[in-house]
Amino acid sequence: MADTFRTETFELTTGDRERAMDITDACADFLRRVAPGADGLLNVFVPHATAGIAVIETGAGSDADLLARLRELLPADDRWHHRHGTPGHGRDHVLPALIAPHATLPVISGQLVLGTWQSVVFVDTNVDNAVRTVRLSFLG
């Protein structure tokens, strides 16, 4: 079978608070449409300087724990050299050094292969931008 590359974007509305949003279903829907039965890799990428992608458990408190630890590691105060936006916005620009703006995940028979408790999560601490973009790309 020839190599296939398919890509598209979708938007998320994050609102005016920090978010850890499960986007696993959006990833699975994309694969159902562009890679039925195929093996390959799914790359999830956020083209923003202040957001990241994590593969973590959700729904049992880990997503809230992640945001709480990020608030401890990256306080929203005036210590940051990057100072435009809301107070502490400089921390949002450090976030991608801790939570990469991408993840590459295996796809087998058109299905995203994750561990039992793993989900693909969009992480955003930036309260200044309420609409965000996610790019999904399949290579198989």
Side-chain angles (χ1 to χ4, degrees), residues 84-95:
H84 76 83
T86 56
H89 178 64
R91 75 178 186 133
D92 302 325
H93 288 274
V94 175
L95 175 75

Side-chain angles (χ1 to χ4, degrees), residues 64-134:
D65 288 341
L66 174 62
L67 292 175
R69 296 307 69 80
L70 288 173
R71 281 191 293 279
E72 290 174 4
L73 288 169
L74 305 171
D77 58 23
D78 64 357
R79 73 183 69 200
W80 307 98
H81 295 284
H82 186 109
R83 293 186 183 263
H84 76 83
T86 56
H89 178 64
R91 75 178 186 133
D92 302 325
H93 288 274
V94 175
L95 175 75
L98 301 175
I99 299 177
H102 59 86
T104 300
L105 305 164
V107 176
I108 305 295
S109 299
Q111 303 290 314
L112 189 58
V113 180
L114 294 170
T116 301
W117 305 111
Q118 290 179 318
S119 296
V120 182
V121 177
F122 176 84
V123 180
D124 186 7
T125 59
N126 183 352
V127 299
D128 292 337
N129 296 318
V131 178
R132 309 300 245 154
T133 300
V134 176

